[in-house]
Amino acid sequence: MTPAMTPAGATHAAGAKLPAGARDAVRGRLLGALGWALLIETLLVTGLLAGLLSRQPVPPPPVIPLMVVPPDPPPPPKPEPPPKPLPMPKVPVPPPPKPMPPQAVDLPRPPVNLPPPPATEPPPPVPPPPLAAPTPMAEPAARPAEPVKPVVQAATRPEPPPPPVDTTEATLTYNGRLTAAVQAAFVVPSMARQLGFRGRARVEFHLRDGVVSAVRIVQSSTLQAVDKAALLAVESAAYPAPPAVLAGKEGTYQIWVACY
């Protein structure tokens, strides 16, 4: 029997058995297949390169500029109205003195010079009567006492009253000193400080020799805490001594108490 042969041995045997023309044909087929493989690979590489080159880069997204708008400027602060002038305190004016009616004055009358009486002739002498017996003489009756004439004194005219003293200037000066004393005693409340409150209250009170009474709010500051602080400042202030024309007199005063 003939021993079995492997495929390689078979190939060698077959190659050995192929003729020269068959070998050239097989070699030509292998070279043709190799050429087609090279061509196909060249086409694939060329197409891949063409695709990479033809692909255009994606443009970056457009940049949108941001515009910063400045905030609106704050409105200018409203000007505060000027403070109202303090009214003139009412000063009682004494009524003018009533004219005194003229009084009759008894003036001493000058003595009247009377003419002397006319001279008369004396009568002729009369003979004396015969003497009679002497009779006891009666005691003379007591003469009535003469009435005492009242002594009339000349009436004196009363002295005119002194002219009224003008206290307007002294009152205005004292009113300014009272306002300064009350403002110095005023304490700003904590609520007004936190709110940034600004305002003032008008207070009326009676004052006599440094003693205060009848304290009340005439015009409110629109904040109750400030009104209470203004009343407390009027009651606790150290007031200056009044001028001489106002000493011992009770006056009514109205002042502004400011909270700033």
Side-chain angles (χ1 to χ4, degrees), residues 9 21 24 28 41 75 90 113 134 153 159 181 194 231:
D24 295 335
E41 186 177 358
K90 298 181 180 179
N113 296 325
Q153 296 181 357
E159 296 181 359
Q194 294 174 2
L231 294 176

Side-chain angles (χ1 to χ4, degrees), residues 2-83:
T2 306
M5 297 178 63
T6 60
T11 305
H12 289 296
K17 293 179 178 181
L18 287 178
R23 284 185 221 170
D24 295 335
V26 172
R27 187 179 296 174
R29 291 177 183 176
L30 292 176
L31 292 177
L34 182 61
W36 282 106
L38 292 176
L39 180 61
I40 293 173
E41 186 177 358
T42 303
L43 293 176
L44 290 176
V45 174
T46 304
L48 182 60
L49 292 176
L52 292 176
L53 295 176
S54 63
R55 182 178 298 175
Q56 297 179 357
V58 180
V63 179
I64 301 175
L66 297 179
M67 298 181 64
V68 179
V69 180
D72 296 336
K78 297 182 179 179
E80 295 185 359

Side-chain angles (χ1 to χ4, degrees), residues 2 7 16 18-19 53-54 82 87 95 103 110 123 134 143 149 156 159 164 185-186 189 193 214 222 225 234 241:
T2 306
L18 287 178
L53 295 176
S54 63
Q103 298 181 359
R143 298 177 64 183
K149 295 182 180 181
T156 58
E159 296 181 359
F186 178 77
R193 188 180 294 107
T222 68
V234 173

Side-chain angles (χ1 to χ4, degrees), residues 121-240:
E121 295 180 0
V126 179
L131 298 174
T135 56
M137 297 181 65
E139 294 181 359
R143 298 177 64 183
E146 296 181 358
V148 179
K149 295 182 180 181
V151 179
V152 179
Q153 296 181 357
T156 58
R157 296 182 179 180
E159 296 181 359
V165 180
D166 187 9
T167 61
T168 303
E169 184 176 358
T171 303
L172 291 177
T173 304
Y174 189 57
N175 195 3
R177 297 174 64 188
L178 294 181
T179 303
V182 174
Q183 192 64 46
F186 178 77
V187 179
V188 179
S190 59
M191 181 180 297
R193 188 180 294 107
Q194 294 174 2
L195 297 176
F197 177 81
R198 291 189 176 185
R200 57 181 183 169
R202 189 168 183 81
V203 187
E204 179 183 281
F205 60 94
H206 295 183
L207 182 65
R208 180 176 182 177
D209 294 338
V211 179
V212 181
S213 60
V215 184
R216 68 186 186 94
I217 295 292
V218 177
Q219 184 174 347
S220 174
S221 65
T222 68
L223 189 61
Q224 188 176 6
V226 174
D227 294 346
K228 291 183 179 180
L231 294 176
L232 183 60
V234 173
E235 294 174 353
S236 61
Y239 295 101

